[in-house]
Amino acid sequence: MSAVVRGGLLRRHRDFRLLWCGETAGQFGASVTKVTMPLIAVSVLHASTFDVGLLTAASWAPWLIIGLPVGVWVDRTRRRPIMLAAAAVSLALFAAVPVAAGTGLLSVGLLLAVALLTGTAAVFFQTAYTAYLATLLDPADQPEGNAKLHGSASAAQIAGLSSGGLVAQWAGAVNGIFANVATFLVSLVCVSGIRHAEPRAARPSNAASDGKRRRGALAGELAEGLRLVGGDPWLRTLTLFGAASNLALMGYQSINVVFLVRTVGLPAGSVGALVAAAGAGGVVGAFAARRVAERVGTARATLLFELGLALFALLIPLATDGAGVLFFVAGGFCVSAGVVAGNVIKASFQQRYCPPELLGRLTATTAFLNYGTIPLGALLGGALGTALGLRAAMWITTAGIPLAGVILLCSPVGRSRDLPTSRRGTRPESNGPRDPARESAPSAR
């Protein structure tokens, strides 16, 4: 396929363009909130380091609570209505924050409630969105689509993080939430305009013959997703790695703002710009992922991004005021590049490797395990920062990022050139020549 055709997905696919615009807008608003919510807690409510970590944990805790059943529900119904409902709920909840501040009702407890409920909506949206994308795009277009979505998301995150810090400095941290409200509105309009006729949800194998689900059908479908991940060496490896990596990543990211403000000594406006500069690596990683994977193989590229670049995380705790902030930027840049590039490769792999009728359960099962460690990491970061000090906590949590990559090195990924494109014949092939026809063929359904 020529580069012109691959690069023309946004021009030739109206529905993908709308999804791309809506998701990019949503990522921008979410990134503003990642800065403004902790800044509201720190500068307006004078919350403790542990409270800030708890705030991040609350936004991810729903993956542990409802992540698995949501995957089953998503596979039972059409995905776009779920996405629309989740976006509408999030819009209303975030709008409640500045309203509460204006009426004197804002508190740490309210912020925790908003984080928990919007996190619940995010579980529904993300699970439905991942499964929906696989039905919207042909298999040959999925790698390009994933690269464009991850790349634009990283760019939106950079702009959002920078804007969040500036809004907090110029107009107050609470006003930054209005940006997220507006972007959820844009997302709603874009997703509403998609014309793609989504296929009817597949009937589960354990449904009763009269159309009514047998008692215990939910548990059976949950178990099917768990068996899919637990019994497959490739899915199992990537899921275990994601869980370990997210524990470390969120451990340091949950206390980033507090570390930069209270230990490094930066003003609020500079914090957003600095975090955004570190996150710029995500854009580079998104657009480098396919090219590197085509040159060295998808499995080797995964190791390069998720283990090689992760070593630079150890620069982050060296940050000091003045020129010392470059350590934070360099380390964060490399980590962001590795994480986003790895996610691009992993997303394309899962969409082609997994049967579409199981994709919702696969997404929810892997997210339950991967995202389930995020609130634990946030609590760990807050607890370590409180007990040992912020810099020591940053050393411990950033060291865990490259250590997580050892899981990949000791797995079939570490012995292979490419990740498989079909669940048939998934034995690692470390010495054979690359087969372009096999790599470009759609996976068996």
Side-chain angles (χ1 to χ4, degrees):
M1 184 179 293
S2 68
V4 174
V5 175
R6 288 202 309 266
L9 184 58
L10 283 174
R11 294 192 299 272
R12 59 187 165 84
H13 202 305
R14 174 190 175 276
D15 287 342
F16 175 76
R17 185 165 61 248
L18 285 172
L19 183 67
W20 176 80
C21 289
E23 176 66 5
T24 301
Q27 289 291 341
F28 174 84
S31 297
V32 171
T33 305
K34 286 179 182 178
V35 175
T36 54
M37 288 281 272
L39 284 176
I40 291 171
V42 172
S43 61
V44 178
L45 301 175
H46 307 291
S48 67
T49 300
F50 184 77
D51 286 337
V52 175
L54 190 62
L55 185 64
T56 303
S59 66
W60 292 98
W63 286 102
L64 278 174
I65 302 170
I66 62 169
L68 289 176
V70 166
V72 175
W73 296 329
V74 164
D75 279 340
R76 288 179 175 179
T77 186
R78 289 185 171 90
R79 283 75 183 256
R80 192 167 73 102
I82 296 176
M83 296 161 59
L84 290 170
V89 169
S90 296
L91 186 156
L93 288 168
F94 280 120
V97 174
V99 171
T103 57
L105 298 176
L106 186 62
S107 65
V108 173
L110 178 63
L111 286 184
L112 287 172
V114 170
L116 183 65
L117 293 174
T118 54
T120 300
V123 173
F124 282 92
F125 186 94
Q126 188 63 39
T127 304
Y129 162 80
T130 304
Y132 184 70
L133 183 64
T135 69
L136 184 67
L137 296 180
D138 293 332
D141 285 330
Q142 288 170 7
E144 181 189 348
N146 285 314
K148 280 183 165 55
L149 285 166
H150 282 281
S152 62
S154 295
Q157 287 168 6
I158 293 168
L161 291 169
S162 299
S163 301
L166 293 175
V167 168
Q169 188 174 30
W170 295 341
V174 173
N175 290 329
I177 300 296
F178 283 116
N180 207 12
V181 174
T183 55
F184 269 113
L185 181 59
V186 172
S187 182
L188 274 171
V189 172
C190 290
V191 176
S192 297
I194 295 176
R195 300 171 184 167
H196 170 64
E198 190 176 355
R200 186 179 298 275
R203 185 182 181 185
S205 59
N206 56 355
S209 59
D210 62 355
K212 296 181 180 179
R213 301 181 188 280
R214 296 194 308 263
R215 183 175 300 176
L218 176 61
E221 292 175 59
L222 289 176
E224 191 173 6
L226 290 170
R227 284 194 300 269
L228 173 66
V229 174
D232 187 285
W234 302 94
L235 297 175
R236 183 173 63 244
T237 294
L238 291 172
T239 301
L240 290 174
F241 161 74
S245 179
N246 282 341
L247 181 70
L249 283 167
M250 191 50 60
Y252 94 83
Q253 289 178 1
S254 66
I255 56 175
N256 253 354
V257 172
V258 190
F259 172 71
L260 292 173
V261 171
R262 293 180 178 172
T263 301
V264 179
L266 297 178
S270 300
V271 169
L274 197 64
V275 174
V283 178
V284 176
F287 291 104
R290 282 195 301 155
R291 292 171 176 81
V292 174
E294 289 171 357
R295 183 175 296 272
V296 305
T298 51
R300 292 176 184 172
T302 299
L303 277 178
L304 174 64
F305 290 127
E306 300 284 22
L307 178 57
L309 290 182
L311 291 169
F312 291 91
L314 296 175
L315 294 176
I316 294 173
L318 297 174
T320 58
D321 196 10
V325 299
L326 294 178
F327 286 115
F328 182 92
V329 174
F333 186 95
C334 291
V335 170
S336 297
V339 168
V340 173
N343 285 342
V344 170
I345 296 171
K346 178 183 175 182
S348 298
F349 160 71
Q350 288 185 340
Q351 288 162 357
R352 301 180 71 178
Y353 186 72
C354 178
E357 66 273 11
L358 294 176
L359 196 52
R361 269 163 282 181
L362 172 64
T363 300
T365 302
T366 56
F368 170 77
L369 298 170
N370 289 347
Y371 295 167
T373 61
I374 288 180
L376 301 179
L379 292 174
L380 178 65
L384 288 174
T386 301
L388 304 177
L390 288 166
R391 194 176 296 276
M394 293 292 279
W395 275 113
I396 294 171
T397 52
T398 54
I401 300 173
L403 286 176
V406 176
I407 295 174
L408 296 176
L409 189 64
C410 299
S411 74
V413 176
R415 301 188 296 273
S416 305
R417 186 187 195 280
D418 289 285
L419 301 172
T421 58
S422 170
R423 295 195 69 206
R424 294 179 297 180
T426 59
R427 180 177 298 176
E429 300 175 2
S430 56
N431 298 319
R434 189 179 184 187
D435 184 355
R438 174 179 174 272
E439 289 177 357
S440 60
S443 61
R445 296 303 182 185

